[in-house]
């Protein structure tokens, strides 16, 4: 991506010798998910999805706490599904509106992505993040921390929100905004993401 390209140039590589777009999603797997989602519109899915390893760099506890707070303010109308595994899996928060699904192969997550409405990646350190590309291809609005490198290519003002990494209150505000949006506005964001 662009941040890595600028780093390579600072190291002395010539602009013409730096190539981007070489760490992409499997478009053959994810584009059909996005097409299906956007052609079979109905009520917007009130499900947030996070696909991330359960490690300190992903800062999942901040996401869980922010989600619980914002969801309570919305009348607990949303759910959060988390796909991943790692050293912090045993420390996962337990809440009726949060489901921890463990590790899934890419082909196993199709049904979860089809039934999700928003993708969230709260990392405090994330040089790229291929899952961001996967979820954009799948037609999901994006909520990304400002430390997610792939945001430079896949996040804009029409398809999602950025927040300062580690700032729970900023993430609560983003979640509150999303949870108050109309289905039509959310579908517009999904289309922009795709």
């Amino acid at each position: 991506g662009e941040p890595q390209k600028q780093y390579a140039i600072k190291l002395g590589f010539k602009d013409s010798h730096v190539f981007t777009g070489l760490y992409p999603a499997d478009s053959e797997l994810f584009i059909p998910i996005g097409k299906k989602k956007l052609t079979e519109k109905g009520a917007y899915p009130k499900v947030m999805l996070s696909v991330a390893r359960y490690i300190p760099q992903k800062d999942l506890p901040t996401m869980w706490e922010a989600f619980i707070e914002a969801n309570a303010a919305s009348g607990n109308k949303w759910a959060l599904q988390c796909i991943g595994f790692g050293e912090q899996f045993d420390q996962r928060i337990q809440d009726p509106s949060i489901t921890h699904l463990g590790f899934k192969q890419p082909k196993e997550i199709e049904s979860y992505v089809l039934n999700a409405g928003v993708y969230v990646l709260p990392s405090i350190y994330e040089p790229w993040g291929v899952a961001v590309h996967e979820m954009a291809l799948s037609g999901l609005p994006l909520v990304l921390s400002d430390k997610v490198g792939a945001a430079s290519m896949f996040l804009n003002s029409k398809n999602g929100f950025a927040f300062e990494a580690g700032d729970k209150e900023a993430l609560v505000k983003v979640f509150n905004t999303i949870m108050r949006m109309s289905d039509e506005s959310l579908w517009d964001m999904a289309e922009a993401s795709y």
Side-chain angles (χ1 to χ4, degrees):
E2 192 59 32
Q4 291 79 13
K5 178 179 180 179
Q6 294 307 313
Y7 179 66
I9 290 170
K10 283 183 181 183
L11 290 175
F13 290 92
K14 293 180 182 175
D15 185 58
S16 61
H17 292 161
V18 181
F19 301 92
T20 61
L22 301 176
Y23 192 31
D26 180 348
S27 58
E28 289 182 11
L29 177 62
F30 291 97
I31 285 175
I33 295 171
K35 283 184 180 178
K36 186 173 184 179
K37 177 183 279 297
L38 294 171
T39 57
E40 298 178 3
K41 290 181 189 176
Y44 198 82
K46 304 294 193 275
V47 177
M48 295 191 182
L49 178 68
S50 181
V51 180
R53 289 179 296 146
Y54 284 56
I55 59 174
Q57 295 91 327
K58 304 298 182 181
D59 198 22
L60 299 177
T62 295
M63 175 185 67
W64 297 328
E65 292 171 13
F67 176 80
I68 290 168
E69 185 176 326
N71 199 35
S74 80
N76 292 309
K77 296 176 183 172
W78 284 71
L80 172 61
Q81 295 182 334
C82 302
I83 295 175
F85 193 74
E87 64 192 61
Q88 293 184 318
F89 191 77
D90 291 339
Q91 299 159 23
R92 64 195 182 276
I93 197 166
Q94 300 296 326
D95 185 85
S97 60
I98 300 175
T99 306
H100 301 276
L101 299 161
F103 175 78
K104 302 285 180 197
Q105 291 290 346
K107 291 185 180 191
E108 294 178 285
I109 69 171
E110 178 178 356
S111 64
Y112 299 107
V113 177
L114 277 171
N115 294 307
V118 176
Y119 176 67
V120 185
L121 187 58
S123 303
I124 55 174
Y125 177 75
E126 189 79 47
W128 190 244
V130 172
V132 174
H133 187 191
E134 294 169 344
M135 297 305 120
L137 289 174
S138 300
L140 291 180
L142 307 171
V143 174
L144 309 173
S145 81
D146 60 356
K147 299 298 182 191
V148 176
S152 66
M153 184 166 281
F154 300 108
L155 180 65
N156 59 59
S157 63
K158 295 179 182 177
N159 77 330
F161 300 91
F163 67 96
E164 185 178 344
D167 186 340
K168 185 186 97 169
E169 292 312 312
L171 186 51
V172 168
K173 287 179 184 177
V174 169
F175 285 162
N176 283 334
T177 298
I178 290 170
M179 291 175 179
R180 287 192 294 259
M181 291 175 73
S182 69
D183 283 9
E184 181 181 357
S185 295
L186 289 165
W187 281 119
D188 287 346
M189 287 180 70
E191 287 181 2
S193 205
Y194 178 75

